[in-house]
Amino acid sequence: MKFSAALVATAATAAHASLDPIVMKGSKLFTKSGSQFFMKGVAYQQDSAAAGTSTGSSKYTDPLADEAACARDVPLLKQLGTNIIRTYAVDPTKDHSACMKLLDDAGIYVISDLSEPSTSINRDSPAWDTELFTRYKAVIDDLSKYDNVVGFFAGNEVSNNKSNTDASAYVKAAVRDTKNYIAKNKDRWFGVGYAANDDVNIRDEISQYFNCGDDSERIDFWGYNIYSWCGESSMQKSGYSDHVEYFKNYSVPVFFAEYGCNEPGGAANRIFQETTALYSDEMTEVFSGGIVYMYFEEDNDYGLVKVSNNKATKLADFSKLQSRVTAAKPSGVSMSSYKPSNEPASCPALSDNWVANKALPPTPNEDTCECMVKAASCVPAKGLKTKAYADIFDYICGKDSSVCAGINGNATSGVYGAYSMCNQQQKLTYVLDQYYKDQDNAADACDFDKQATTQDGSTESSCKSALASASSINAIAATATAGSSSATGSSKSDDGNFGNPAAAIGRLFTVGEFAVGAYLVAAVGVGAGMILL
């Protein structure tokens, strides 16, 4: 059953006491009352770089915590025909109620990334640990209070080419754990998805990877950051027709998480021809709309509005987008008549282009990590600076990498140490304690120029089961890394080293804004590809 956009939840014209929450059914989004939802979105955050690039700053401005700015901008977003905004980083300790109310009253939903610049999954040194999970849960707890929140991105272009696909295992673990947290702690659906770039070498594998496996691990939606339609173009020339064909059998909703090419001539010359295409029948059978990058004009020249001295001025592309969005009348189906038939994907095979195993990193568990720390006999000295970690890791793990197997993760073989999900101080505690025990508790084995010290380790009864399980897991991980060598080097291997048992892979431990150089180990085992610590 088809019906006009007058009945589709794309208009953002009427004030609402509370917007109807969005739900997912098959590969489409609907309002809870049953109307299909097409995103007419705008990215809304200052200091956020396009297409997954970095601004180079660890600081960010929370766009939902400034009531005055929201009061200034929400009417303009409404003029654009916006019904959803994307935010890239919010501070869960701040009050968002005023901005969320303004957005709700304007008929505007929110979809937000869970990370922030200094607490995110780093493609060059990926991890999924207690610090990250704590951050993700805090954002979910804060934003889930609002009916106009659709869901969350667990990652944004983390794997952006074939050299860093191992990082996708950590993002998918984040998807799994945040979905499980929502299911257990929230009383309605919130989607957890991923936003990807359009890299020709991995576009098929990465979309399959996040859509394969058990439902608890699969994304709820797929966001595409795509800038291939520039100026005057067409469905064929831009590649849009290829994307429609590829995703027509995808089992979850697909939309453009970013779009709006600014070539040629910068933002002022954008004509948004692709916006008309996006809401045409040719695309709405498959795509659920998209989000234009972006509201604020900054150095990268993608803005719709220029803000100066707290005054917002519409730029040349504002009216061009406005006319396209408000003229778009996408057709949809009712939730009751829609019968989904698409099936999840099969997981991609390991190859030169794809090295992420379907076996995922463990769920971060702070209690298990703390149990390990309390039971340790050798621990970091009080007040030890994170910059001192590198030498200790290098020394201990260089002497015997199996000692450090409990904190390592290999995304290609799918083998992870039980404590690979702990924070860096906890990992250092484990390594120090293992080394101390291997040296038969020699007095000088827990010193490291007074950077380590002994303590009376104790195992609480509530910890015994977790520690026993971790010990068994770590024994397996140690076997998987047996025979590895250590050295120092670059953070990534050459592509030609894929599958080579002697290939050394460099790694970084990331502690907040501080990256700590770590040891290397070699790839081992048939089909293991790379050992990525």
Side-chain angles (χ1 to χ4, degrees):
M1 172 184 175
K2 291 278 187 178
F3 50 90
S4 73
L7 299 177
V8 176
T10 55
T13 57
H16 299 266
S18 183
L19 281 172
D20 199 8
I22 301 299
V23 297
M24 177 188 77
K25 182 180 181 181
S27 60
K28 301 184 187 300
L29 298 169
F30 297 90
T31 62
K32 197 172 182 179
S33 58
S35 301
Q36 190 174 350
F37 180 75
F38 293 99
M39 294 185 177
K40 290 184 173 182
V42 174
Y44 182 70
Q45 182 134 15
Q46 291 177 286
D47 303 318
S48 60
T53 57
S54 173
T55 62
S57 173
S58 62
K59 298 180 180 180
Y60 65 95
T61 301
D62 184 339
L64 302 179
D66 187 337
E67 182 178 0
C70 289
R72 175 196 68 207
D73 297 333
V74 168
L76 295 177
L77 288 165
K78 186 174 178 179
Q79 285 181 34
L80 284 167
T82 304
N83 68 0
I84 190 167
I85 61 170
R86 177 183 178 183
T87 59
Y88 293 83
V90 299
D91 184 346
T93 67
K94 292 186 176 179
D95 181 9
H96 299 125
S97 58
C99 283
M100 293 302 294
K101 179 66 164 57
L102 287 166
L103 289 163
D104 189 280
D105 288 346
I108 299 174
Y109 292 88
V110 175
I111 190 168
S112 186
D113 292 43
L114 289 168
S115 62
E116 52 98 351
S118 64
T119 311
S120 60
I121 299 174
N122 186 326
R123 65 172 64 97
D124 295 319
S125 55
W128 175 236
D129 58 25
T130 54
E131 180 184 8
L132 280 164
F133 196 20
T134 297
R135 156 76 194 182
Y136 279 32
K137 289 185 289 185
V139 174
I140 291 167
D141 286 344
D142 178 62
L143 293 184
S144 63
K145 295 180 293 189
Y146 306 105
D147 286 340
N148 56 332
V149 171
V150 175
F152 309 96
F153 289 107
N156 181 66
E157 298 192 24
V158 180
S159 293
N160 63 356
N161 61 59
K162 66 180 183 179
S163 74
N164 50 40
T165 60
D166 61 297
S168 286
Y170 296 89
V171 181
K172 193 170 181 180
V175 171
R176 174 200 64 203
D177 295 338
T178 50
K179 284 183 64 170
N180 182 56
Y181 181 76
I182 289 169
K184 287 184 175 180
N185 295 281
K186 308 303 170 186
D187 60 4
R188 74 170 180 90
W189 180 86
F190 294 92
V192 180
Y194 179 72
N197 67 320
D198 184 32
D199 183 87
V200 64
N201 292 314
I202 65 170
R203 60 161 68 126
D204 291 352
E205 289 87 347
I206 195 168
S207 61
Q208 294 162 7
Y209 185 75
F210 281 98
N211 187 233
C212 76
D214 188 81
D215 178 65
S216 64
E217 301 174 349
R218 296 195 300 266
I219 52 168
D220 295 318
F221 52 76
W222 180 255
Y224 225 167
N225 297 343
I226 187 164
Y227 294 83
S228 62
W229 190 310
C230 299
E232 294 279 351
S233 191
S234 67
M235 290 288 294
Q236 290 71 35
K237 183 179 178 181
S238 66
Y240 275 29
S241 58
D242 295 331
H243 297 311
V244 170
E245 178 65 22
Y246 179 78
F247 284 106
K248 69 180 182 181
N249 295 318
Y250 212 61
S251 69
V252 298
V254 181
F255 57 88
F256 289 169
E258 287 178 8
Y259 79 95
C261 176
N262 66 351
E263 297 176 356
N269 288 328
R270 293 198 288 188
I271 60 174
F272 292 109
Q273 191 181 61
E274 69 269 41
T275 300
T276 299
L278 182 58
Y279 301 106
S280 68
D281 289 347
E282 189 172 358
M283 292 197 71
T284 54
E285 286 288 336
V286 176
F287 282 84
S288 296
I291 299 168
V292 170
Y293 187 86
M294 66 104 50
Y295 182 82
F296 296 99
E297 173 67 359
E298 298 188 326
D299 290 343
N300 59 10
D301 193 21
Y302 279 90
L304 298 162
V305 167
K306 177 70 174 179
V307 175
S308 180
N309 296 321
N310 294 319
K311 180 181 179 181
T313 303
K314 300 176 188 176
L315 298 179
D317 54 345
F318 185 101
S319 61
K320 296 172 187 175
L321 178 64
Q322 180 183 19
S323 63
R324 297 278 188 177
V325 171
T326 55
K329 308 296 181 185
S331 298
V333 298
S334 67
M335 184 162 57
S336 60
S337 66
Y338 171 56
K339 309 299 182 186
S341 58
N342 293 349
E343 297 291 333
S346 297
C347 292
L350 299 179
S351 68
D352 287 351
N353 285 0
W354 191 260
V355 300
N357 197 301
K358 63 183 179 180
L360 303 178
T363 300
N365 187 311
E366 182 65 29
D367 290 341
T368 298
C369 296
E370 281 302 307
C371 283
M372 175 268 291
V373 170
K374 291 176 182 177
S377 298
C378 182
V379 298
K382 186 176 181 179
L384 182 67
K385 303 295 185 183
T386 54
K387 64 182 179 181
Y389 292 10
D391 288 342
I392 302 175
F393 278 126
D394 284 344
Y395 178 78
I396 296 176
C397 301
K399 286 179 70 69
D400 182 0
S401 62
S402 66
V403 171
C404 300
I407 64 168
N408 295 341
N410 179 352
T412 302
S413 68
V415 176
Y416 299 90
Y419 302 119
S420 60
M421 50 74 179
C422 298
N423 67 39
Q424 300 308 315
Q425 185 179 43
Q426 292 163 339
K427 288 179 179 179
L428 183 60
T429 298
Y430 176 79
V431 168
L432 285 168
D433 191 56
Q434 291 300 299
Y435 178 76
Y436 183 55
K437 289 172 180 172
D438 279 2
Q439 300 301 311
D440 297 322
N441 295 359
D444 60 352
C446 187
D447 184 76
F448 290 91
D449 196 22
K450 303 191 183 304
Q451 295 180 110
T453 186
T454 58
Q455 71 171 16
D456 293 328
S458 62
T459 301
E460 298 176 2
S461 59
S462 59
C463 291
K464 288 181 179 179
S465 177
L467 293 179
S469 176
S471 180
S472 298
I473 292 169
N474 292 341
I476 295 171
T479 300
T481 59
S484 63
S485 59
S486 88
T488 56
S490 64
S491 63
K492 278 290 170 189
S493 67
D494 294 332
D495 291 340
N497 282 334
F498 181 85
N500 178 356
I505 311 299
R507 293 286 284 120
L508 293 173
F509 285 119
T510 300
V511 186
E513 298 177 41
F514 185 81
V516 182
Y519 52 92
L520 309 172
V521 298
V524 295
V526 177
M530 303 175 185
I531 292 291
L532 300 168
L533 299 183

